[in-house]
Amino acid sequence: MSKTAYVRTKPHLNIGTMGHVDHGKTTLTAAITKVLSERGGSSTSYVSFDRIDRAPEEAQRGITINIAHVEYETDTRHYAHVDMPGHADYIKNMVTGAAQLDGAILVVSALDGIMPQTAEHVLLARQVGVDHIVVALNKADAGDPELTDLVELEVRELLSAHGYGGDSVPVVRVSGLRALEGDPRWTAAIEGLLDAVDTYVPMPVRYTDAPFLLSVENVLTITGRGTVVTGAVERGTVRVGDRVQVLGADIETVVTGLETFGKPMESAEAGDNVALLLRGVERDRVRRGHVVAAPGSVTPSRRFTAQVYVLSAKEGGRSTPVTTGYRPQFYIRTADVVGDVDLGETAVARPGDTVTMTVELGRDVPLESGLGFAIREGGRTVGAGTVTGLL
Ligand SMILES: Nc1nc2c(ncn2[C@@H]2O[C@H](COP(=O)(O)OP(=O)(O)OP(=O)(O)O)[C@@H](O)[C@H]2O)c(=O)[nH]1
Ligand SMILES: [Mg+2]
């Protein structure tokens, strides 16, 4: 563990790259850190492509599987950036990662245009509450300008169709590859992209005064120190020495260490990406999807009413209706839980319908009105909903 403490000098935001497989998300992520690391006065370190795509399984298959986090700093902000997987199988990770995003960079290859996962990621971003998207039209070095114009129109239309105001969304033509090579035209384009992110993605409201809550994304063991959970602080503040409850594991313990990007910190607040060292907790007691919270501040439950949009077949959803007794997976914060659907008098929900339903989950999870979730079945997203009441 590094000894240099994290110093909060600029507002912190969580953003990430999303988009179809091979459109250049990881290359662009590396290019952003390179351009910023070479800019005077920035504390950003360059993170190479290989270090972002680093899990052994990823190198073998050449696709991003786990969500990689990098950090960088512009003149006005500190960003944690998740490089999200493009492959359809890894949407589950994407749901987890995107849930914490204040904004996203949608990467679209100027050569290929909109592909199935481009559309799916925009839809998911909407569902998990990402309100601001900036588009990187990547591979602009290789694309024909007129075709690139068409791709831009297409992307704006897609964004408008999902309520993102496609006419006003910044679309920046970039080349992650050429910027990594240091070509001045394309490093300038990366600067332009970052300016668009700085100005277009607003600083979100952070609920720092609320009781602490963090949904566990990952669990690790640090030899000699104990069990660490990682994730984004959803609300509140946590300090070293604070008592916390781990919902799902039924444990109450004390936070004995706090870190962000390998740097120790005294206190973490809403929006921060952190690792929490938990006293005396065995590694296998805690899992992704559990929630760490201020003791007594949340009560898990399993029955709720929800407003749900059932995706149409065109959006990658089902082609047949959903009926009472349907039993899909519910993705709530970082949890993935099976649930029974009761449609009451409606009885049938057709693809494309918005319906009210009652859900009974397979286990208790912290729920509250207004919480968003995704419904998945057989590896694809089939619905998106919001909790309207607890039963
Ligand atoms: N010409 C050109 N090629 C690029 C550019 N950016 C990326 N590529 C190439 O496109 C391929 C895919 O790039 P990645 O960065 O791995 O794409 P990705 O979106 O992260 O892919 P997944 O993580 O598997 O979804 C690689 O061969 C890159 O070298 C670019 O700006 N211009
Ligand atoms: Mg990648």
Side-chain angles (χ1 to χ4, degrees):
M1 290 204 178
S2 150
K3 300 223 167 51
T4 331
Y6 174 69
V7 186
R8 200 184 296 277
T9 53
K10 292 175 184 173
H12 170 81
L13 279 90
N14 298 305
I15 64 163
T17 32
M18 56 173 78
H20 196 77
V21 62
D22 267 357
H23 280 200
K25 299 176 291 296
T26 304
T27 307
L28 180 67
T29 301
I32 289 173
T33 63
K34 182 146 195 280
V35 168
L36 285 173
S37 70
E38 287 166 1
R39 193 194 253 189
S42 172
S43 69
T44 305
S45 313
Y46 169 45
V47 187
S48 69
F49 183 96
D50 295 338
R51 276 176 55 217
I52 298 170
D53 256 2
R54 75 196 142 196
E57 199 190 343
E58 291 174 45
Q60 271 169 31
R61 298 175 58 176
I63 48 176
T64 307
I65 291 171
N66 293 309
I67 296 178
H69 288 80
V70 301
E71 64 169 331
Y72 49 80
E73 210 179 278
T74 61
D75 291 342
T76 53
R77 291 169 166 186
H78 177 264
Y79 288 100
H81 174 126
V82 292
D83 174 34
M84 280 183 292
H87 194 275
D89 292 353
Y90 307 116
I91 292 270
K92 177 173 167 178
N93 277 343
M94 150 107 195
V95 173
T96 308
Q100 337 163 337
L101 296 185
D102 302 315
I105 301 174
L106 177 68
V107 181
V108 183
S109 161
L111 304 178
D112 304 305
I114 291 177
M115 297 295 274
Q117 286 144 29
T118 316
E120 190 175 10
H121 289 188
V122 171
L123 185 80
L124 278 171
R126 185 84 274 175
Q127 290 162 16
V128 298
V130 178
D131 289 332
H132 298 275
I133 289 181
V134 172
V135 178
L137 271 190
N138 193 38
K139 310 196 186 185
D141 60 289
D144 167 70
E146 276 170 32
L147 273 180
T148 308
D149 289 344
L150 285 181
V151 172
E152 175 169 343
L153 279 178
E154 213 185 31
V155 176
R156 289 190 186 279
E157 256 169 46
L158 173 75
L159 289 170
S160 290
H162 290 92
Y164 280 108
D167 293 339
S168 54
V169 165
V171 177
V172 186
R173 296 178 188 204
V174 297
S175 168
L177 196 64
R178 296 280 169 262
L180 265 184
E181 291 164 2
D183 181 330
R185 169 170 174 205
W186 298 111
T187 56
I190 299 289
E191 298 272 5
L193 176 69
L194 289 165
D195 285 345
V197 173
D198 274 347
T199 52
Y200 187 74
V201 180
M203 191 58 209
V205 177
R206 304 282 192 213
Y207 298 98
T208 48
D209 293 336
F212 169 66
L213 190 146
L214 172 146
S215 194
V216 175
E217 193 178 311
N218 238 314
V219 186
L220 328 155
T221 306
I222 299 189
T223 314
R225 289 198 66 190
T227 297
V228 166
V229 297
T230 64
V233 180
E234 183 175 307
R235 59 192 181 219
T237 303
V238 64
R239 291 185 176 75
V240 174
D242 279 358
R243 286 201 77 77
V244 290
Q245 199 178 357
V246 186
L247 297 132
D250 219 6
I251 293 171
E252 199 172 307
T253 181
V254 172
V255 175
T256 51
L258 260 177
E259 273 193 4
T260 190
F261 294 100
K263 290 171 227 141
M265 61 201 314
E266 277 302 305
S267 86
E269 58 185 47
D272 288 345
N273 260 287
V274 294
L276 302 180
L277 182 64
L278 301 176
R279 175 185 290 161
V281 172
E282 281 163 40
R283 165 75 182 79
D284 50 12
R285 291 284 303 278
V286 191
R287 277 190 285 127
R288 167 177 176 151
H290 288 173
V291 165
V292 184
S297 63
V298 275
T299 314
S301 47
R302 66 175 71 190
R303 289 192 73 223
F304 62 97
T305 51
Q307 181 88 351
V308 168
Y309 172 64
V310 183
L311 267 63
S312 63
K314 207 178 81 207
E315 292 168 308
R318 296 167 55 97
S319 48
T320 55
V322 167
T323 53
T324 293
Y326 179 51
R327 215 161 179 266
Q329 292 297 119
F330 287 80
Y331 285 69
I332 306 173
R333 294 196 174 98
T334 59
D336 163 6
V337 195
V338 69
D340 283 300
V341 168
D342 184 343
L343 287 164
E345 313 218 311
T346 317
V348 169
R350 287 175 195 82
D353 287 352
T354 300
V355 292
T356 302
M357 58 171 66
T358 302
V359 178
E360 176 149 0
L361 297 173
R363 66 178 167 86
D364 288 349
V365 297
L367 294 171
E368 58 206 59
S369 282
L371 190 64
F373 57 85
I375 302 178
R376 291 179 52 81
E377 165 203 328
R380 65 199 168 127
T381 305
V382 295
T386 307
V387 175
T388 51
L390 305 183
L391 299 170

PDB file of all heavy atoms in Angstrom, residues 191-224:
ATOM      1  N   GLU A 191      -7.971  16.192 -26.033  1.00  0.00           N
ATOM      2  CA  GLU A 191      -8.192  17.373 -25.177  1.00  0.00           C
ATOM      3  C   GLU A 191      -9.619  17.894 -25.376  1.00  0.00           C
ATOM      4  O   GLU A 191     -10.300  18.261 -24.421  1.00  0.00           O
ATOM      5  CB  GLU A 191      -7.209  18.505 -25.536  1.00  0.00           C
ATOM      6  CG  GLU A 191      -5.727  18.170 -25.329  1.00  0.00           C
ATOM      7  CD  GLU A 191      -5.228  18.476 -23.926  1.00  0.00           C
ATOM      8  OE1 GLU A 191      -6.061  18.874 -23.074  1.00  0.00           O
ATOM      9  OE2 GLU A 191      -4.025  18.302 -23.685  1.00  0.00           O
ATOM     10  N   GLY A 192     -10.043  17.927 -26.629  1.00  0.00           N
ATOM     11  CA  GLY A 192     -11.391  18.401 -26.953  1.00  0.00           C
ATOM     12  C   GLY A 192     -12.456  17.519 -26.307  1.00  0.00           C
ATOM     13  O   GLY A 192     -13.461  18.011 -25.786  1.00  0.00           O
ATOM     14  N   LEU A 193     -12.210  16.221 -26.337  1.00  0.00           N
ATOM     15  CA  LEU A 193     -13.146  15.281 -25.721  1.00  0.00           C
ATOM     16  C   LEU A 193     -13.230  15.535 -24.213  1.00  0.00           C
ATOM     17  O   LEU A 193     -14.314  15.575 -23.626  1.00  0.00           O
ATOM     18  CB  LEU A 193     -12.692  13.843 -26.002  1.00  0.00           C
ATOM     19  CG  LEU A 193     -13.518  12.738 -25.348  1.00  0.00           C
ATOM     20  CD1 LEU A 193     -14.920  12.653 -25.971  1.00  0.00           C
ATOM     21  CD2 LEU A 193     -12.822  11.375 -25.482  1.00  0.00           C
ATOM     22  N   LEU A 194     -12.061  15.723 -23.583  1.00  0.00           N
ATOM     23  CA  LEU A 194     -12.041  15.958 -22.129  1.00  0.00           C
ATOM     24  C   LEU A 194     -12.712  17.276 -21.763  1.00  0.00           C
ATOM     25  O   LEU A 194     -13.415  17.360 -20.749  1.00  0.00           O
ATOM     26  CB  LEU A 194     -10.594  15.926 -21.614  1.00  0.00           C
ATOM     27  CG  LEU A 194      -9.999  14.507 -21.620  1.00  0.00           C
ATOM     28  CD1 LEU A 194      -8.494  14.563 -21.456  1.00  0.00           C
ATOM     29  CD2 LEU A 194     -10.643  13.658 -20.532  1.00  0.00           C
ATOM     30  N   ASP A 195     -12.518  18.301 -22.606  1.00  0.00           N
ATOM     31  CA  ASP A 195     -13.207  19.575 -22.364  1.00  0.00           C
ATOM     32  C   ASP A 195     -14.721  19.367 -22.417  1.00  0.00           C
ATOM     33  O   ASP A 195     -15.463  19.926 -21.606  1.00  0.00           O
ATOM     34  CB  ASP A 195     -12.812  20.624 -23.413  1.00  0.00           C
ATOM     35  CG  ASP A 195     -11.409  21.156 -23.155  1.00  0.00           C
ATOM     36  OD1 ASP A 195     -10.883  20.931 -22.037  1.00  0.00           O
ATOM     37  OD2 ASP A 195     -10.828  21.778 -24.071  1.00  0.00           O
ATOM     38  N   ALA A 196     -15.146  18.557 -23.383  1.00  0.00           N
ATOM     39  CA  ALA A 196     -16.588  18.288 -23.508  1.00  0.00           C
ATOM     40  C   ALA A 196     -17.096  17.581 -22.260  1.00  0.00           C
ATOM     41  O   ALA A 196     -18.171  17.907 -21.742  1.00  0.00           O
ATOM     42  CB  ALA A 196     -16.860  17.441 -24.752  1.00  0.00           C
ATOM     43  N   VAL A 197     -16.332  16.640 -21.744  1.00  0.00           N
ATOM     44  CA  VAL A 197     -16.744  15.924 -20.531  1.00  0.00           C
ATOM     45  C   VAL A 197     -16.773  16.898 -19.344  1.00  0.00           C
ATOM     46  O   VAL A 197     -17.736  16.932 -18.577  1.00  0.00           O
ATOM     47  CB  VAL A 197     -15.802  14.723 -20.248  1.00  0.00           C
ATOM     48  CG1 VAL A 197     -16.129  14.085 -18.904  1.00  0.00           C
ATOM     49  CG2 VAL A 197     -15.902  13.687 -21.363  1.00  0.00           C
ATOM     50  N   ASP A 198     -15.716  17.707 -19.223  1.00  0.00           N
ATOM     51  CA  ASP A 198     -15.645  18.676 -18.118  1.00  0.00           C
ATOM     52  C   ASP A 198     -16.842  19.619 -18.103  1.00  0.00           C
ATOM     53  O   ASP A 198     -17.344  19.989 -17.046  1.00  0.00           O
ATOM     54  CB  ASP A 198     -14.383  19.547 -18.256  1.00  0.00           C
ATOM     55  CG  ASP A 198     -13.149  18.902 -17.610  1.00  0.00           C
ATOM     56  OD1 ASP A 198     -13.313  17.928 -16.855  1.00  0.00           O
ATOM     57  OD2 ASP A 198     -12.034  19.396 -17.862  1.00  0.00           O
ATOM     58  N   THR A 199     -17.266  20.048 -19.285  1.00  0.00           N
ATOM     59  CA  THR A 199     -18.313  21.061 -19.323  1.00  0.00           C
ATOM     60  C   THR A 199     -19.722  20.474 -19.459  1.00  0.00           C
ATOM     61  O   THR A 199     -20.675  21.020 -18.936  1.00  0.00           O
ATOM     62  CB  THR A 199     -18.088  22.066 -20.468  1.00  0.00           C
ATOM     63  OG1 THR A 199     -17.913  21.324 -21.674  1.00  0.00           O
ATOM     64  CG2 THR A 199     -16.859  22.913 -20.231  1.00  0.00           C
ATOM     65  N   TYR A 200     -19.835  19.325 -20.142  1.00  0.00           N
ATOM     66  CA  TYR A 200     -21.175  18.792 -20.403  1.00  0.00           C
ATOM     67  C   TYR A 200     -21.723  17.933 -19.264  1.00  0.00           C
ATOM     68  O   TYR A 200     -22.925  17.896 -19.031  1.00  0.00           O
ATOM     69  CB  TYR A 200     -21.171  17.995 -21.713  1.00  0.00           C
ATOM     70  CG  TYR A 200     -22.555  17.567 -22.139  1.00  0.00           C
ATOM     71  CD1 TYR A 200     -23.438  18.505 -22.674  1.00  0.00           C
ATOM     72  CD2 TYR A 200     -22.979  16.258 -21.997  1.00  0.00           C
ATOM     73  CE1 TYR A 200     -24.718  18.134 -23.049  1.00  0.00           C
ATOM     74  CE2 TYR A 200     -24.259  15.872 -22.370  1.00  0.00           C
ATOM     75  CZ  TYR A 200     -25.118  16.812 -22.896  1.00  0.00           C
ATOM     76  OH  TYR A 200     -26.377  16.444 -23.274  1.00  0.00           O
ATOM     77  N   VAL A 201     -20.843  17.234 -18.574  1.00  0.00           N
ATOM     78  CA  VAL A 201     -21.299  16.382 -17.463  1.00  0.00           C
ATOM     79  C   VAL A 201     -21.296  17.227 -16.192  1.00  0.00           C
ATOM     80  O   VAL A 201     -20.245  17.619 -15.709  1.00  0.00           O
ATOM     81  CB  VAL A 201     -20.383  15.145 -17.281  1.00  0.00           C
ATOM     82  CG1 VAL A 201     -20.878  14.276 -16.128  1.00  0.00           C
ATOM     83  CG2 VAL A 201     -20.301  14.341 -18.575  1.00  0.00           C
ATOM     84  N   PRO A 202     -22.475  17.524 -15.650  1.00  0.00           N
ATOM     85  CA  PRO A 202     -22.491  18.397 -14.482  1.00  0.00           C
ATOM     86  C   PRO A 202     -22.035  17.667 -13.223  1.00  0.00           C
ATOM     87  O   PRO A 202     -22.064  16.439 -13.162  1.00  0.00           O
ATOM     88  CB  PRO A 202     -23.964  18.788 -14.361  1.00  0.00           C
ATOM     89  CG  PRO A 202     -24.714  17.694 -15.009  1.00  0.00           C
ATOM     90  CD  PRO A 202     -23.822  17.090 -16.050  1.00  0.00           C
ATOM     91  N   MET A 203     -21.621  18.439 -12.275  1.00  0.00           N
ATOM     92  CA  MET A 203     -21.262  17.881 -10.972  1.00  0.00           C
ATOM     93  C   MET A 203     -22.553  17.367 -10.333  1.00  0.00           C
ATOM     94  O   MET A 203     -23.505  18.117 -10.165  1.00  0.00           O
ATOM     95  CB  MET A 203     -20.651  19.019 -10.159  1.00  0.00           C
ATOM     96  CG  MET A 203     -19.976  18.601  -8.880  1.00  0.00           C
ATOM     97  SD  MET A 203     -18.655  17.421  -9.162  1.00  0.00           S
ATOM     98  CE  MET A 203     -18.706  16.551  -7.614  1.00  0.00           C
ATOM     99  N   PRO A 204     -22.634  16.069 -10.023  1.00  0.00           N
ATOM    100  CA  PRO A 204     -23.884  15.549  -9.459  1.00  0.00           C
ATOM    101  C   PRO A 204     -24.075  16.006  -8.016  1.00  0.00           C
ATOM    102  O   PRO A 204     -23.117  16.378  -7.343  1.00  0.00           O
ATOM    103  CB  PRO A 204     -23.691  14.047  -9.508  1.00  0.00           C
ATOM    104  CG  PRO A 204     -22.225  13.855  -9.457  1.00  0.00           C
ATOM    105  CD  PRO A 204     -21.611  15.040 -10.133  1.00  0.00           C
ATOM    106  N   VAL A 205     -25.322  15.950  -7.583  1.00  0.00           N
ATOM    107  CA  VAL A 205     -25.616  16.238  -6.177  1.00  0.00           C
ATOM    108  C   VAL A 205     -25.142  15.029  -5.373  1.00  0.00           C
ATOM    109  O   VAL A 205     -25.463  13.893  -5.704  1.00  0.00           O
ATOM    110  CB  VAL A 205     -27.139  16.431  -5.989  1.00  0.00           C
ATOM    111  CG1 VAL A 205     -27.474  16.666  -4.533  1.00  0.00           C
ATOM    112  CG2 VAL A 205     -27.612  17.571  -6.864  1.00  0.00           C
ATOM    113  N   ARG A 206     -24.342  15.257  -4.361  1.00  0.00           N
ATOM    114  CA  ARG A 206     -23.861  14.157  -3.518  1.00  0.00           C
ATOM    115  C   ARG A 206     -24.554  14.206  -2.170  1.00  0.00           C
ATOM    116  O   ARG A 206     -24.585  15.259  -1.525  1.00  0.00           O
ATOM    117  CB  ARG A 206     -22.354  14.299  -3.263  1.00  0.00           C
ATOM    118  CG  ARG A 206     -21.506  14.385  -4.506  1.00  0.00           C
ATOM    119  CD  ARG A 206     -21.314  13.022  -5.100  1.00  0.00           C
ATOM    120  NE  ARG A 206     -20.271  13.051  -6.117  1.00  0.00           N
ATOM    121  CZ  ARG A 206     -20.308  12.271  -7.203  1.00  0.00           C
ATOM    122  NH1 ARG A 206     -21.319  11.464  -7.397  1.00  0.00           N
ATOM    123  NH2 ARG A 206     -19.329  12.319  -8.065  1.00  0.00           N
ATOM    124  N   TYR A 207     -25.097  13.061  -1.778  1.00  0.00           N
ATOM    125  CA  TYR A 207     -25.790  13.020  -0.494  1.00  0.00           C
ATOM    126  C   TYR A 207     -24.811  12.661   0.615  1.00  0.00           C
ATOM    127  O   TYR A 207     -24.811  11.561   1.134  1.00  0.00           O
ATOM    128  CB  TYR A 207     -26.977  12.064  -0.568  1.00  0.00           C
ATOM    129  CG  TYR A 207     -27.981  12.536  -1.593  1.00  0.00           C
ATOM    130  CD1 TYR A 207     -28.003  12.002  -2.872  1.00  0.00           C
ATOM    131  CD2 TYR A 207     -28.851  13.575  -1.283  1.00  0.00           C
ATOM    132  CE1 TYR A 207     -28.896  12.482  -3.824  1.00  0.00           C
ATOM    133  CE2 TYR A 207     -29.748  14.051  -2.231  1.00  0.00           C
ATOM    134  CZ  TYR A 207     -29.762  13.506  -3.503  1.00  0.00           C
ATOM    135  OH  TYR A 207     -30.626  13.971  -4.443  1.00  0.00           O
ATOM    136  N   THR A 208     -23.960  13.611   0.949  1.00  0.00           N
ATOM    137  CA  THR A 208     -22.909  13.321   1.934  1.00  0.00           C
ATOM    138  C   THR A 208     -23.455  13.308   3.360  1.00  0.00           C
ATOM    139  O   THR A 208     -22.826  12.752   4.244  1.00  0.00           O
ATOM    140  CB  THR A 208     -21.749  14.339   1.837  1.00  0.00           C
ATOM    141  OG1 THR A 208     -22.308  15.644   1.795  1.00  0.00           O
ATOM    142  CG2 THR A 208     -20.920  14.124   0.595  1.00  0.00           C
ATOM    143  N   ASP A 209     -24.595  13.947   3.582  1.00  0.00           N
ATOM    144  CA  ASP A 209     -25.146  14.014   4.943  1.00  0.00           C
ATOM    145  C   ASP A 209     -25.996  12.794   5.308  1.00  0.00           C
ATOM    146  O   ASP A 209     -26.320  12.586   6.464  1.00  0.00           O
ATOM    147  CB  ASP A 209     -26.001  15.275   5.120  1.00  0.00           C
ATOM    148  CG  ASP A 209     -25.151  16.537   5.050  1.00  0.00           C
ATOM    149  OD1 ASP A 209     -23.937  16.427   5.316  1.00  0.00           O
ATOM    150  OD2 ASP A 209     -25.696  17.600   4.713  1.00  0.00           O
ATOM    151  N   ALA A 210     -26.353  11.990   4.309  1.00  0.00           N
ATOM    152  CA  ALA A 210     -27.192  10.810   4.569  1.00  0.00           C
ATOM    153  C   ALA A 210     -26.357   9.725   5.257  1.00  0.00           C
ATOM    154  O   ALA A 210     -25.131   9.777   5.224  1.00  0.00           O
ATOM    155  CB  ALA A 210     -27.734  10.301   3.246  1.00  0.00           C
ATOM    156  N   PRO A 211     -27.014   8.725   5.884  1.00  0.00           N
ATOM    157  CA  PRO A 211     -26.248   7.615   6.472  1.00  0.00           C
ATOM    158  C   PRO A 211     -25.450   6.887   5.387  1.00  0.00           C
ATOM    159  O   PRO A 211     -25.937   6.720   4.263  1.00  0.00           O
ATOM    160  CB  PRO A 211     -27.324   6.706   7.057  1.00  0.00           C
ATOM    161  CG  PRO A 211     -28.550   7.542   7.161  1.00  0.00           C
ATOM    162  CD  PRO A 211     -28.457   8.585   6.079  1.00  0.00           C
ATOM    163  N   PHE A 212     -24.273   6.445   5.730  1.00  0.00           N
ATOM    164  CA  PHE A 212     -23.360   5.799   4.792  1.00  0.00           C
ATOM    165  C   PHE A 212     -23.964   4.552   4.149  1.00  0.00           C
ATOM    166  O   PHE A 212     -24.576   3.725   4.817  1.00  0.00           O
ATOM    167  CB  PHE A 212     -22.070   5.433   5.544  1.00  0.00           C
ATOM    168  CG  PHE A 212     -21.150   4.546   4.774  1.00  0.00           C
ATOM    169  CD1 PHE A 212     -20.530   5.010   3.619  1.00  0.00           C
ATOM    170  CD2 PHE A 212     -20.910   3.244   5.186  1.00  0.00           C
ATOM    171  CE1 PHE A 212     -19.682   4.187   2.893  1.00  0.00           C
ATOM    172  CE2 PHE A 212     -20.061   2.413   4.467  1.00  0.00           C
ATOM    173  CZ  PHE A 212     -19.458   2.884   3.317  1.00  0.00           C
ATOM    174  N   LEU A 213     -23.743   4.409   2.814  1.00  0.00           N
ATOM    175  CA  LEU A 213     -24.145   3.190   2.099  1.00  0.00           C
ATOM    176  C   LEU A 213     -23.208   2.950   0.921  1.00  0.00           C
ATOM    177  O   LEU A 213     -22.919   3.857   0.145  1.00  0.00           O
ATOM    178  CB  LEU A 213     -25.593   3.293   1.603  1.00  0.00           C
ATOM    179  CG  LEU A 213     -26.197   1.989   1.045  1.00  0.00           C
ATOM    180  CD1 LEU A 213     -27.685   1.908   1.365  1.00  0.00           C
ATOM    181  CD2 LEU A 213     -25.985   1.831  -0.445  1.00  0.00           C
ATOM    182  N   LEU A 214     -22.731   1.715   0.819  1.00  0.00           N
ATOM    183  CA  LEU A 214     -21.889   1.295  -0.311  1.00  0.00           C
ATOM    184  C   LEU A 214     -22.312  -0.107  -0.719  1.00  0.00           C
ATOM    185  O   LEU A 214     -22.462  -0.983   0.125  1.00  0.00           O
ATOM    186  CB  LEU A 214     -20.410   1.294   0.112  1.00  0.00           C
ATOM    187  CG  LEU A 214     -19.364   0.717  -0.852  1.00  0.00           C
ATOM    188  CD1 LEU A 214     -18.043   1.486  -0.729  1.00  0.00           C
ATOM    189  CD2 LEU A 214     -19.101  -0.763  -0.591  1.00  0.00           C
ATOM    190  N   SER A 215     -22.568  -0.303  -2.003  1.00  0.00           N
ATOM    191  CA  SER A 215     -22.931  -1.618  -2.504  1.00  0.00           C
ATOM    192  C   SER A 215     -21.648  -2.298  -2.978  1.00  0.00           C
ATOM    193  O   SER A 215     -20.901  -1.729  -3.787  1.00  0.00           O
ATOM    194  CB  SER A 215     -23.931  -1.466  -3.646  1.00  0.00           C
ATOM    195  OG  SER A 215     -24.526  -2.705  -3.913  1.00  0.00           O
ATOM    196  N   VAL A 216     -21.389  -3.485  -2.462  1.00  0.00           N
ATOM    197  CA  VAL A 216     -20.094  -4.140  -2.695  1.00  0.00           C
ATOM    198  C   VAL A 216     -19.956  -4.602  -4.144  1.00  0.00           C
ATOM    199  O   VAL A 216     -20.793  -5.331  -4.668  1.00  0.00           O
ATOM    200  CB  VAL A 216     -19.916  -5.348  -1.749  1.00  0.00           C
ATOM    201  CG1 VAL A 216     -18.623  -6.100  -2.066  1.00  0.00           C
ATOM    202  CG2 VAL A 216     -19.945  -4.898  -0.294  1.00  0.00           C
ATOM    203  N   GLU A 217     -18.868  -4.150  -4.773  1.00  0.00           N
ATOM    204  CA  GLU A 217     -18.606  -4.531  -6.148  1.00  0.00           C
ATOM    205  C   GLU A 217     -17.650  -5.722  -6.179  1.00  0.00           C
ATOM    206  O   GLU A 217     -17.768  -6.618  -6.996  1.00  0.00           O
ATOM    207  CB  GLU A 217     -17.992  -3.327  -6.863  1.00  0.00           C
ATOM    208  CG  GLU A 217     -17.952  -3.455  -8.350  1.00  0.00           C
ATOM    209  CD  GLU A 217     -17.374  -2.218  -8.994  1.00  0.00           C
ATOM    210  OE1 GLU A 217     -17.803  -1.103  -8.654  1.00  0.00           O
ATOM    211  OE2 GLU A 217     -16.468  -2.372  -9.823  1.00  0.00           O
ATOM    212  N   ASN A 218     -16.675  -5.719  -5.295  1.00  0.00           N
ATOM    213  CA  ASN A 218     -15.638  -6.735  -5.292  1.00  0.00           C
ATOM    214  C   ASN A 218     -15.160  -7.009  -3.880  1.00  0.00           C
ATOM    215  O   ASN A 218     -15.203  -6.117  -3.043  1.00  0.00           O
ATOM    216  CB  ASN A 218     -14.450  -6.210  -6.089  1.00  0.00           C
ATOM    217  CG  ASN A 218     -14.108  -7.135  -7.235  1.00  0.00           C
ATOM    218  OD1 ASN A 218     -14.045  -8.349  -7.035  1.00  0.00           O
ATOM    219  ND2 ASN A 218     -13.898  -6.558  -8.395  1.00  0.00           N
ATOM    220  N   VAL A 219     -14.680  -8.223  -3.637  1.00  0.00           N
ATOM    221  CA  VAL A 219     -14.121  -8.566  -2.323  1.00  0.00           C
ATOM    222  C   VAL A 219     -12.722  -9.117  -2.529  1.00  0.00           C
ATOM    223  O   VAL A 219     -12.501  -9.952  -3.410  1.00  0.00           O
ATOM    224  CB  VAL A 219     -14.990  -9.642  -1.613  1.00  0.00           C
ATOM    225  CG1 VAL A 219     -14.490  -9.893  -0.203  1.00  0.00           C
ATOM    226  CG2 VAL A 219     -16.446  -9.216  -1.581  1.00  0.00           C
ATOM    227  N   LEU A 220     -11.775  -8.630  -1.782  1.00  0.00           N
ATOM    228  CA  LEU A 220     -10.385  -9.065  -1.918  1.00  0.00           C
ATOM    229  C   LEU A 220      -9.796  -9.353  -0.549  1.00  0.00           C
ATOM    230  O   LEU A 220     -10.303  -8.885   0.462  1.00  0.00           O
ATOM    231  CB  LEU A 220      -9.497  -7.967  -2.548  1.00  0.00           C
ATOM    232  CG  LEU A 220     -10.083  -7.006  -3.549  1.00  0.00           C
ATOM    233  CD1 LEU A 220      -9.307  -5.714  -3.560  1.00  0.00           C
ATOM    234  CD2 LEU A 220     -10.031  -7.661  -4.904  1.00  0.00           C
ATOM    235  N   THR A 221      -8.690 -10.093  -0.555  1.00  0.00           N
ATOM    236  CA  THR A 221      -7.970 -10.312   0.692  1.00  0.00           C
ATOM    237  C   THR A 221      -6.621  -9.635   0.568  1.00  0.00           C
ATOM    238  O   THR A 221      -5.949  -9.777  -0.449  1.00  0.00           O
ATOM    239  CB  THR A 221      -7.743 -11.821   0.924  1.00  0.00           C
ATOM    240  OG1 THR A 221      -9.002 -12.458   0.846  1.00  0.00           O
ATOM    241  CG2 THR A 221      -7.136 -12.086   2.286  1.00  0.00           C
ATOM    242  N   ILE A 222      -6.246  -8.871   1.571  1.00  0.00           N
ATOM    243  CA  ILE A 222      -4.908  -8.309   1.590  1.00  0.00           C
ATOM    244  C   ILE A 222      -4.155  -9.068   2.665  1.00  0.00           C
ATOM    245  O   ILE A 222      -4.504  -9.011   3.846  1.00  0.00           O
ATOM    246  CB  ILE A 222      -4.914  -6.796   1.871  1.00  0.00           C
ATOM    247  CG1 ILE A 222      -5.693  -6.098   0.762  1.00  0.00           C
ATOM    248  CG2 ILE A 222      -3.491  -6.257   1.964  1.00  0.00           C
ATOM    249  CD1 ILE A 222      -5.623  -4.599   0.780  1.00  0.00           C
ATOM    250  N   THR A 223      -3.156  -9.835   2.232  1.00  0.00           N
ATOM    251  CA  THR A 223      -2.422 -10.701   3.146  1.00  0.00           C
ATOM    252  C   THR A 223      -1.926  -9.918   4.351  1.00  0.00           C
ATOM    253  O   THR A 223      -1.347  -8.852   4.205  1.00  0.00           O
ATOM    254  CB  THR A 223      -1.233 -11.354   2.402  1.00  0.00           C
ATOM    255  OG1 THR A 223      -1.731 -11.839   1.158  1.00  0.00           O
ATOM    256  CG2 THR A 223      -0.649 -12.502   3.199  1.00  0.00           C
ATOM    257  N   GLY A 224      -2.216 -10.445   5.516  1.00  0.00           N
ATOM    258  CA  GLY A 224      -1.747  -9.821   6.743  1.00  0.00           C
ATOM    259  C   GLY A 224      -2.640  -8.703   7.242  1.00  0.00           C
ATOM    260  O   GLY A 224      -2.482  -8.218   8.350  1.00  0.00           O
TER     261      GLY A 224
END
